[in-house]
């Protein structure tokens, strides 16, 4: 019996198939504590299906017999229409009627079986959905709601070819300098989870922080992130983020340091916010299809930046994470990003972001241009500049995800606090800077290899440093990351740099903010746990 013929003779079978698929899917989704229900339904379904097949075969046989009877009667009628019918011919209509009656009864029984199966499938599906809803409502234990993870980074740096007047220095790494060797760069522990159906919590302290003003101590514990996401819908497309978190400015700033290839972030965009974080409230909107793409990027190991919304807007203090706010003005920020498939195997992402506010610069005494006693520049917190200085930027992002060849570039422009040429006052000045990087993902039998090369440029005030010194940075980095496993990574990077040393020299007749020109060989071991 063909498929088409079956559905022509028994149209209700199509309805039955739909219910069977629905019931089977519903039962298959039940929790593991209900195998008896699943086996009972499967047993009943198997029995009814066998009986239904048996009746179908009977019905087909009867249909064939009826066809033969009709043909036989028609032929006989044409041949002997004028002859008297004998007893056998008189009995034939009786056999025909009995067969027709039996066929009708078979069809009725089949309809009854279909109805029984439909009712059975509906009943089991409703029971499965009810149990699923009850399990979802069942209160979880606190330890079932949260996950604990983290990572640690250990570094070793060596400076070469330093013939410039300035001492080696790197804002992002205190171990770059004279008399330095090993350093615990980061020691993070992350606690995260769902407090309820519409509220989640994220808490990340760092146990390797350096406290400003401490010249001989490090490895202090400091809060990096502490925020709650409040979701406004069941699809989790719209949410408020309240607390201390990364501000949505710069794709590389949002990318976790555990995913970034170069050892430090680019100066051009990283100068926008100290520690990339601040205390505030943000509204993020991420449509479901964008959520799926961002999740794919992270799950596939493409070193994404995470879900900070397709569109985000918010307000925050402006002074920087873990630092006390110094004025009554809040910064306002907005960001739009759009990840998309360029073709079946290549992802891209483009972004635009900007912020505005007033930033209060902290100061240290310096000798202006290296002449005379050390004094604090005007326009800073300690010289009645508490109201702050204009701080606004606009940035663009282009990401070509490494599948396997990747490209990444960001650039920003704006105005911000900067020490003037005479080194006597901090005023607002133009800034520009960014980076471009290429990378390649090579999967190995064991682990992955990620070679990369980056150009890093910045020209403007370094507002997060004391006195917001005017800085000029041009740097080339080339290196590779070897992921031995998900828990162990090694990065080796060689840098050729020409950057302003942003350390304030407080001795009289001593020039501050000279250029450090040289090269560095740097290593980092990262352990993920």
């Amino acid at each position: 019996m063909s498929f088409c013929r079956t559905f022509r003779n028994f149209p209700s079978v199509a309805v039955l198939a739909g219910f069977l698929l629905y019931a089977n899917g519903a039962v298959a989704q039940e929790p593991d504590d209900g195998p008896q229900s699943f086996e009972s339904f499967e047993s009943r379904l198997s029995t009814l299906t066998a009986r239904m097949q048996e009746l179908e075969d009977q019905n087909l046989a009867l249909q064939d017999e009826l066809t033969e009877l009709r043909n036989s009667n028609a032929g006989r009628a044409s041949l002997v229409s004028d002859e008297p019918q004998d007893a056998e011919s008189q009995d034939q209509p009786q056999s025909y009627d009995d067969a027709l009656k039996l066929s009708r009864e078979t069809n009725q029984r089949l309809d009854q079986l279909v109805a029984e199966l439909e009712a059975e499938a509906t009943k089991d599906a409703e029971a499965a959905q009810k149990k699923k809803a009850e399990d979802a409502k069942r209160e979880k234990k606190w330890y079932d709601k949260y996950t604990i993870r983290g990572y640690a980074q250990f570094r070793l740096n060596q400076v070469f070819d330093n013939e410039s007047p300035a001492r080696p220095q790197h804002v992002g790494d205190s171990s770059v300098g004279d008399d330095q060797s090993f350093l615990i760069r980061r020691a993070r522990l992350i606690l995260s989870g769902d407090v309820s159906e519409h509220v989640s919590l994220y808490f990340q302290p760092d146990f390797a922080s350096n406290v400003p003003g401490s010249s001989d101590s490090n490895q202090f514990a400091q809060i990096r992130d502490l925020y709650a996401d409040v979701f406004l819908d069941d699809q989790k497309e719209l949410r408020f983020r309240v607390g201390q978190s990364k501000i949505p400015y710069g794709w590389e700033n949002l990318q976790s340091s555990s995913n970034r290839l170069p050892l430090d972030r680019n100066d051009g965009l990283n100068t926008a916010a100290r520690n990339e974080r601040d205390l505030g409230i943000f509204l993020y909107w991420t449509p479901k299809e964008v959520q799926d793409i961002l999740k794919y990027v992270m799950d596939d190991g493409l070193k994404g930046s995470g879900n900070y919304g397709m569109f985000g807007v918010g307000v925050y203090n402006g002074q920087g994470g873990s630092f006390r706010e110094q004025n009554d003005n809040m910064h306002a920020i907005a960001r739009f990003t759009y990840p998309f498939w360029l073709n079946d195997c290549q992802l891209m992402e483009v972004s635009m972001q900007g912020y505005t506010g007033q930033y209060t610069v902290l100061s240290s005494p310096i000798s202006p241009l290296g002449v005379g006693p050390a004094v604090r520049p005007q326009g800073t917190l300690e010289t009645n500049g508490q109201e702050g200085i204009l701080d606004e930027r606009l940035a663009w992002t282009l990401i070509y995800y490494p599948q396997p060849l990747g490209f990444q570039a960001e650039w920003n422009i704006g105005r911000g606090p900067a020490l003037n040429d005479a080194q006597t006052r901090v005023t607002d000045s133009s800034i520009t800077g960014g980076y471009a990087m290429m990378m390649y993902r090579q999967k190995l039998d064991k682990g992955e290899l990620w070679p990369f090369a980056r150009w890093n440029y910045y020209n403007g005030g370094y507002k997060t440093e004391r006195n917001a010194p005017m800085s000029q940075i041009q740097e080339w980095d080339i290196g590779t990351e070897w992921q031995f496993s998900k828990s162990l990574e090694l990065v080796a990077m060689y840098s050729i740099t020409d950057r302003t040393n942003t350390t304030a020299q407080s001795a009289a007749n001593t020039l501050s903010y000279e250029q450090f020109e040289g090269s560095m060989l740097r290593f980092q071991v990262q352990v993920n746990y």
Side-chain angles (χ1 to χ4, degrees), residues 3 6-7 10-21 52 114 118:
F3 178 84
T6 301
F7 277 81
F10 305 104
S12 58
V13 174
V15 179
L16 171 64
F19 270 87
L20 289 178
L21 289 172
M52 182 176 174
V114 169
E118 290 175 350

Side-chain angles (χ1 to χ4, degrees), residues 306-324:
N307 183 354
Y308 286 84
M310 186 176 81
F311 176 74
V313 62
V315 292
Y316 58 100
N317 281 340
Q319 204 65 30
S322 302
F323 282 81
R324 184 187 299 275

Side-chain angles (χ1 to χ4, degrees), residues 19 28 83-84 136 142 190 210 214 220 239 260 272 307 332 345 348 355-356 379 392 398 432 474 524:
F19 270 87
E83 295 181 2
W142 70 268
I190 302 168
N210 294 330
S214 176
F220 290 90
R239 72 187 189 271
R260 190 180 62 253
N307 183 354
C345 58
M348 288 188 66
Y355 71 83
T356 184
E392 58 184 16
L398 172 64
T432 184
Q474 186 155 220
Q524 174 179 280

Side-chain angles (χ1 to χ4, degrees), residues 161-169 178 498-501 505 510-518:
D161 304 326
N162 178 29
E163 298 179 357
S164 57
R167 299 178 60 187
Q169 187 247 4
D178 295 334
D498 179 2
R499 60 169 50 239
T500 302
N501 184 317
Q505 305 295 329
T510 302
L511 181 62
S512 299
Y513 312 130
E514 296 183 280
Q515 290 295 114
F516 158 51
E517 299 180 46

